[in-house]
Amino acid sequence: MAGVSAVYDREGEHIGWKVSVRKKGFPPQFKTFRTKADALAWAAVVESEMVRGVWRDRSESESTTLKECLARYATDVLPERKDGGRHGASFLLQWQGRPIASRYMSSIRGQDVALAIKDMEAEKKSPNTIRLHLALLSHLFTVARKEWGMENLSNPVELVRKPRLPQGRDRRLIGDEETRLLNACSKMNPEIAAVVRIAIETAMRQGEIMGMTWAMVNLPARTVMLPDTKNGTRRIVPLSTAAVEVLTKLPSRLDGKVWNYTQDGLKAMYRKAVARANIDNLTFHDLRHEATSRLFEKGFNPMEVSAITGHKTLQMLKRYTHLKAEDLAKRMG
């Protein structure tokens, strides 16, 4: 049975109503409202849920703000990610600075998330960046519901429309761009040229290439074993004759790494090489796109290509597959 009592401040002024719900088999529930009607309405809902066996304790979600949950997420969840939470940390800090962060978890609705999306669009964030922000928030609500005692929560991110992603890039090497790029790389540092050639020959991601050690490379078998890829699975990448030639010519290192450059160092050098080669709008990831397309042009089927590139679904693979029309015309006869 619900009990309602008036609440007064230190000066004796009436400021609200405290309601309590006590039912056998359930922990006592207390909450304060400004009006008696709101207090009784809340109590009626709680009692009804208890009777129907669908009640979930709201005390944790009604007393914890999103900002507090974000801080706990930073401590408990982000460090477990493969990158140590490096990328997620920036998204988390931005969520902490938004008005929604001051809201209690139980009060956050889809429209609150939708307003945050509009703010991010006004800040000129790209659709993909906004989606990454939303992915972190969505995962936080999932963790809070499953692990932090907030079983009553619904996920407000699931209720909003996500920004539409632009069509995937289909940039490929044109004309003599490959020769110009490799020449520019060679003049700066032969190792940069070697990295670019490996990217074009293997379709490996930049992080996968730069994380290579000689222990992963089996030149007699012409393979590179990637123990921990972006998708969280082990993958063995076959090496073409050209890729084997590149790796064979590299000097050995005492620390077992294949490359002297770090990933950040490579990024800077690659940008300079593209500029020196007078090539417009060619990212390092475009080389993976080029390599994947070449695999199809060599006659590999989708399943074979996915085994080489590590794409999880054929739909994901389709984004990277833009075959040259002139090559297809030759095969048509």
Side-chain angles (χ1 to χ4, degrees):
M1 183 68 181
V4 181
S5 59
V7 179
Y8 300 90
D9 63 15
R10 293 180 179 178
E11 284 73 33
E13 184 176 348
H14 180 252
I15 58 174
W17 298 85
K18 183 177 181 180
V19 59
S20 62
V21 177
R22 300 177 185 276
K23 189 172 181 62
K24 187 176 181 180
F26 296 92
Q29 297 298 302
F30 306 94
K31 195 169 184 182
T32 301
F33 295 87
R34 287 193 175 276
T35 69
K36 189 174 183 178
D38 288 342
L40 290 172
W42 177 83
V45 171
V46 171
E47 289 179 328
S48 173
E49 291 178 347
M50 288 178 173
V51 170
R52 291 182 288 119
V54 297
W55 176 83
R56 293 290 183 273
D57 190 354
R58 294 180 173 86
S59 58
E60 193 74 26
S61 62
E62 290 178 346
S63 62
T64 308
T65 64
L66 173 59
K67 194 167 192 173
E68 291 170 329
C69 282
L70 287 165
R72 183 173 180 178
Y73 190 89
T75 302
D76 296 355
V77 180
L78 283 185
E80 296 178 357
R81 294 190 172 185
K82 287 201 300 183
D83 64 352
R86 182 167 56 92
H87 293 297
S90 63
F91 300 144
L92 186 145
L93 286 173
Q94 292 183 55
W95 276 117
Q96 287 180 321
R98 297 190 181 281
I100 193 175
S102 63
R103 300 281 298 275
Y104 289 112
M105 291 291 286
S106 62
S107 70
I108 297 175
R109 296 174 294 173
Q111 69 176 23
D112 301 311
V113 178
L115 287 174
I117 292 174
K118 288 185 178 180
D119 289 342
M120 285 187 272
E121 290 173 339
E123 295 161 6
K124 305 300 182 183
K125 286 183 169 53
S126 70
N128 188 56
T129 298
I130 295 175
R131 280 176 169 262
L132 292 173
H133 278 78
L134 295 175
L136 182 142
L137 185 64
S138 179
H139 188 242
L140 181 147
F141 269 86
T142 298
V143 172
R145 187 175 66 248
K146 292 181 177 180
E147 302 178 16
W148 297 348
M150 303 184 194
E151 291 85 356
N152 67 296
L153 284 180
S154 60
N155 190 338
V157 180
E158 296 175 351
L159 306 177
V160 300
R161 288 178 295 145
K162 314 303 187 294
R164 292 187 62 182
L165 292 174
Q167 187 173 358
R169 287 176 61 89
D170 59 359
R171 178 71 159 89
R172 294 196 60 182
L173 293 168
I174 304 169
D176 64 346
E177 285 184 340
E178 180 175 352
T179 300
R180 286 156 49 200
L181 176 61
L182 289 172
N183 286 340
C185 289
S186 296
K187 290 178 181 178
M188 295 172 63
N189 189 316
E191 182 174 301
I192 302 300
V195 171
V196 169
R197 290 190 64 192
I198 290 296
I200 295 173
E201 291 295 327
T202 66
M204 289 166 63
R205 299 178 179 89
Q206 179 177 294
E208 294 170 345
I209 295 173
M210 300 312 296
M212 286 172 55
T213 65
W214 286 113
M216 301 177 187
V217 180
N218 187 334
L219 289 178
R222 293 175 47 173
T223 61
V224 174
M225 190 278 290
L226 303 176
D228 188 18
T229 67
K230 177 182 177 182
N231 294 326
T233 58
R234 175 175 174 271
R235 186 168 97 253
I236 298 178
V237 180
L239 297 174
S240 65
T241 302
V244 170
E245 180 184 356
V246 170
L247 293 174
T248 301
K249 292 180 180 179
L250 291 176
S252 59
R253 290 167 50 94
L254 293 177
D255 60 8
K257 294 181 179 180
V258 174
W259 315 105
N260 290 298
Y261 276 94
T262 63
Q263 190 164 342
D264 289 339
L266 170 71
K267 289 178 180 178
M269 293 294 285
Y270 176 79
R271 285 194 293 267
K272 291 179 182 179
V274 170
R276 290 190 180 186
N278 197 25
I279 298 174
D280 294 326
N281 190 31
L282 183 70
T283 68
F284 193 91
H285 195 74
D286 290 332
L287 303 181
R288 173 169 161 85
H289 177 99
E290 175 69 28
T292 305
S293 298
R294 290 185 183 187
L295 291 173
F296 276 98
E297 290 167 353
K298 291 178 179 178
F300 288 96
N301 64 48
M303 293 302 294
E304 290 170 329
V305 174
S306 67
I308 296 171
T309 63
H311 288 96
K312 282 290 188 180
T313 67
L314 297 184
Q315 184 61 33
M316 291 171 61
L317 192 60
K318 184 179 179 181
R319 288 187 57 206
Y320 293 88
T321 309
H322 294 269
L323 309 183
K324 295 179 180 177
E326 58 267 30
D327 292 335
L328 293 175
K330 294 176 182 176
R331 290 172 56 186
M332 292 177 67

